[in-house]
Amino acid sequence: MGIQREHLIYTSIIILTIVYLLAIENVHSGSREFTLGGRDLRFSPYDITLVLVGTVGIVLSAISFAAYNRKNDKRLFIISLAFLFFTLKSVLNIVDNFFIGGYRYIGIAAQGFELLMILAFFLVLFKKQ
């Protein structure tokens, strides 16, 4: 099986998110300090929940993309994109919480991923087979 257009879309979204974090939000710079306790400087259930939601998102993205690869159904691909957007939103929330620093657009990017996720589920619900 060769590289399909859907694989390129999926990979491109991930690469663009990484480029966004490195180039625009400058996460790799020394001005961002990793703090285990997060923004409130203490380890709390909120911090555990952020990591747990991100982990579940990764698992759901992998399962849904594997299901798409098996069935090759466009609706499954859109669902896997929705889970990818969910995962990337979780990653942005984790970065925002644990890498203390001033971010310019991370809230907008996270809400953008949430909007894309909702639109993807909406599209699957109303798309004809």
Side-chain angles (χ1 to χ4, degrees), residues 13-126:
I13 292 170
I14 293 170
I15 289 171
L16 286 173
T17 303
I18 292 169
V19 167
Y20 162 76
L21 285 171
L22 295 177
I24 295 175
E25 295 297 352
N26 218 7
V27 172
H28 66 289
S29 73
S31 65
R32 308 287 189 247
E33 179 183 322
F34 176 78
T35 304
L36 184 61
R39 287 206 173 270
D40 59 0
L41 302 177
R42 63 186 185 95
F43 194 70
S44 66
Y46 177 73
D47 300 320
I48 295 169
T49 304
L50 278 178
V51 174
L52 184 62
V53 167
T55 304
V56 168
I58 290 169
V59 170
L60 288 173
S61 293
I63 290 171
S64 63
F65 197 66
Y68 161 72
N69 282 330
R70 249 192 332 249
K71 300 278 185 180
N72 207 14
D73 180 11
K74 297 291 184 192
R75 293 184 338 151
L76 282 175
F77 174 69
I78 295 171
I79 289 173
S80 72
L81 275 180
F83 284 127
L84 175 65
F85 296 143
F86 173 78
T87 302
L88 294 176
K89 180 185 186 296
S90 298
V91 167
L92 292 180
N93 287 336
I94 289 169
V95 166
D96 189 36
N97 185 59
F98 291 110
F99 290 89
I100 306 301
Y103 297 104
R104 292 182 278 181
Y105 307 111
I106 205 160
I108 296 169
Q111 289 305 109
F113 280 132
E114 189 168 338
L115 176 64
L116 290 172
M117 176 183 58
I118 291 169
L119 290 174
F121 283 129
F122 181 79
L123 183 65
V124 167
L125 283 175
F126 294 103

